[in-house]
Amino acid sequence: MDLIWLIPLLPGFGAALNGVVGIRFFSKRVAGLLACSTMALALALAVWAFVELLGLPPEARAHDVVLADWIPPIPLETAHGIGAFEAPWSFRLDPLSAVMTLVVSGIGFLIHVYSIGYMHGESRGAYARYFSYLNLFCFFMLTLVLGGNFLVMFVGWEGVGLCSYLLIGYWYEKKSAADAGKKAFIVNRIGDWGFILGIFLVFFTFGTLDFRAVADAAAAMPVEAAGFGTLSLICLFLFIGATGKSAQIPLYVWLPDAMEGPTPVSALIHAATMVTAGVYMVARNAILFTHAPMVMTIVAVVGVLTALMAATIGLVQTDIKRVLAYSTVSQLGYMFLATGVGAFAAGIFHLMTHAFFKALLFLGSGSVIHAMAGEQDMRRMGSLRKYMPVTYVTMLIGTLAIAGIPPFAGFFSKDEILFRTFLDNRLIWGLAAITALLTAFYMFRLMSMTFDGAYHGPAWEGHGHEGADHGHGGHGGHDAWHGPHESPRVMTIPLMALAVGAMVAGFVGVPAALGGNNAIEHFLEPSFTASAAVHGEAVAGETTEAAAPAAAEAGGEAAAGHGEEAAHAPLAVEWGLMLLSVLLAVVGIWFARRNYVTRPEASEALATRFAGAHRVLLNKYYVDELYDATAVQGTLGGARGLWAFDRRVVDGAVDGSGWFTRLSAWISHMFDKYVVDGLVNLVGWSAGESSYALRRVQTGLIQNYALLMLIGVFALLTVYLFTR
């Protein structure tokens, strides 16, 4: 377990080598082999660490590895005086991070293998760049889930945001892809604002950013049941970060647009990385959230509303990847619903099962797009089951799993969430149950429109016209299209592996009502509880009698997700809820088959009859338009206003100052020219003119001088005589 730091480092090494050297020199084969090999080694190390962890007693299943003193102690003020802000570069392996590393490395490896076939139409340099980004994505996600403190997690958190921008906008020459990448990056920055404020407040409150130290300190504090205190504010900030990364209301709008990236990227983002980060972060801070019941309610309400809203939008979408995108938003809502009602283990269980069947569905849709030369509109498909039997069977397994049909994986995890929600809040459970019905409907609508009925796609080989490549060259990878066909084995083998996972992954969480012991919940429980030694301690190490009972309660049973209440619920209730959830799924499946296979005209009749509702759903409740009219146009309007202010006021003041300087210089010039120089010239002129007059007197004749003297004497005598 001391080598867990190699788990993220290996794909990081692959990313660096492909990014620096591979783009210039590696062949496609070498670039793909390097990326897949590093992920395979990371998966092997994750399995080895998991097995070692299983060998430890439950109370000792935690191992910390400190690689370096990243940030040395810095004096910084906290709520209890001056503390030492420090952050070692540390990794922590416990049941929660072990499950996440298996999911990320396992699903990530299969997606890497699948990408070898899917992206073979790219140029050599672009191929290496793609695998570099893919490896980098897994590096940051593994750093995120293994981080032993908030700052290491934040590095991974920001890293996956960067990689989402790079991969969603991979085909950057396509404007819609570049815009989608920017949209994902910007929306996530909004959520990250809340997350980083939460980190600041965590340090100010507890004087540390270490996950275990924070959990132990929080366990010694009373539950904020009567008001909205510091712990509630911390949890609210953290949840804002989670809504951005995990696409919850109101920050979900980036995820459907992320479909602009290559389909394997969509699978990686939606199944194994990025969007699960928010759920993981909330689960990692389970003790903090159980001490903030008001925020827990907010989490549950936001989760169920997101699940319901996204499911209704998915009912009418026609792009195969967009249906799956809204499905992901909906399933993430289920996961947050689980954490909101205290069922943290159920939320992580659903995260794990969802990773299998959602990766399967996305890669299956990529196989369909590959077969249809880039076509993504389900209305231009149909009857593909006879051309793509492997893709059809594997996607059917994934669809049964997400619909909650036993014994597939989604049944066990979704049923556990519905059961725990029923025990906590009946109204929220009702909304979640309706969402389960809608999920089964829109997923089998996808299957029916894609694989059943009549073929509606373009003709080929003389059947009217050849099908055009409607997408990027990387989709089809062929110069000429020869009709729908099964994908190569490098793509179908990962589909088969994921299908097996979608069938068997749920058996690690078989509930007691079905004869199991919910093994995954017991395995994860130590990650959601505080150390027994600190149950009676306060935040700064001071012992208070009031804090001990609350800590013992919240640090144990509450963080485990209402385990006592679930254990004592009548089996008849659990059986009844299971039967109801399966019945709802069956109804949804039947209605989808009826409307899109047996009586396809019925769906058009419904769309016509409820044209207003259909238009609203087709336009996704006009949320993007609302954001465009408010946030986007408001930002642009503000920017234009600031530009005008800068141009007319700031620049105007500068220009006015220049104009005034030029005016004053002109006035000074004119004064100097006409006044100062004029006076000087006047003196000179006067001297010249007077000298000219005097020069006339200087004739050089003695008789003239004698005459002037006589006139002078005469003048003087005259004056003298008149003045006497």
Side-chain angles (χ1 to χ4, degrees), residues 255-256 259 270 310-331 354 358 361-362 365 376-379 395 399 402 438-447 449-450 618 620:
L255 191 57
M259 299 302 96
H270 287 247
T312 57
I313 295 174
L315 296 175
V316 300
Q317 300 301 309
T318 56
D319 185 306
I320 187 170
K321 287 175 65 176
R322 197 164 286 272
V323 173
L324 294 176
Y326 281 105
S327 169
T328 299
V329 176
S330 183
Q331 296 305 305
H354 175 264
K358 186 51 62 69
L361 290 168
F362 263 111
S365 72
Q376 296 183 198
D377 192 334
M378 297 184 296
R379 294 170 297 184
M395 282 193 73
T399 305
I402 195 174
L438 299 178
T439 301
F441 173 80
Y442 68 67
M443 285 308 304
F444 272 87
R445 170 181 175 267
L446 180 150
M447 291 295 294
M449 293 179 69
T450 303
L618 193 61
K620 302 157 288 187

Side-chain angles (χ1 to χ4, degrees), residues 487-571:
S487 297
R489 290 180 63 81
V490 73
M491 294 172 65
T492 56
I493 289 176
L495 292 179
M496 297 176 195
L498 289 168
V500 172
M503 287 190 289
V504 304
F507 289 104
V508 299
V510 178
L514 296 177
N517 65 344
N518 209 333
I520 191 169
E521 179 173 352
H522 294 300
F523 175 70
L524 289 171
E525 183 176 354
S527 298
F528 306 137
T529 56
S531 304
V534 300
H535 277 166
E537 297 178 2
V539 177
E542 301 172 358
T543 305
T544 61
E545 295 181 1
E553 177 186 358
E557 290 82 356
H562 305 309
E564 289 292 327
E565 186 178 359
H568 292 92
L571 285 179

Side-chain angles (χ1 to χ4, degrees), residues 379-401:
R379 294 170 297 184
R380 293 177 56 81
M381 298 178 186
S383 193
L384 294 184
R385 61 192 299 180
K386 63 183 179 182
Y387 303 107
M388 312 177 66
V390 176
T391 301
Y392 169 70
V393 172
T394 53
M395 282 193 73
L396 179 61
I397 291 171
T399 305
L400 290 168

Side-chain angles (χ1 to χ4, degrees), residues 82-98:
I82 299 298
F85 175 80
E86 59 180 327
W89 191 270
S90 63
F91 291 135
R92 179 177 181 83
L93 185 72
D94 65 356
L96 179 58
S97 60

Side-chain angles (χ1 to χ4, degrees), residues 648-708:
R648 297 174 183 175
V649 178
V650 178
D651 288 353
V654 174
D655 294 342
S657 175
W659 178 84
F660 179 76
T661 301
R662 290 194 301 271
L663 176 63
S664 60
W666 181 81
I667 294 173
S668 176
H669 164 71
M670 298 303 291
F671 181 82
D672 182 68
K673 180 178 180 181
Y674 293 104
V675 177
V676 178
D677 289 354
L679 289 175
V680 172
N681 293 333
L682 179 62
V683 171
W685 178 83
S686 301
E689 291 298 318
S690 60
S691 67
Y692 177 76
L694 292 174
R695 188 170 67 248
R696 296 288 299 273
V697 178
Q698 301 296 323
T699 62
L701 298 175
I702 296 175
Q703 59 270 29
N704 288 345
Y705 297 155
L707 177 62
L708 288 175

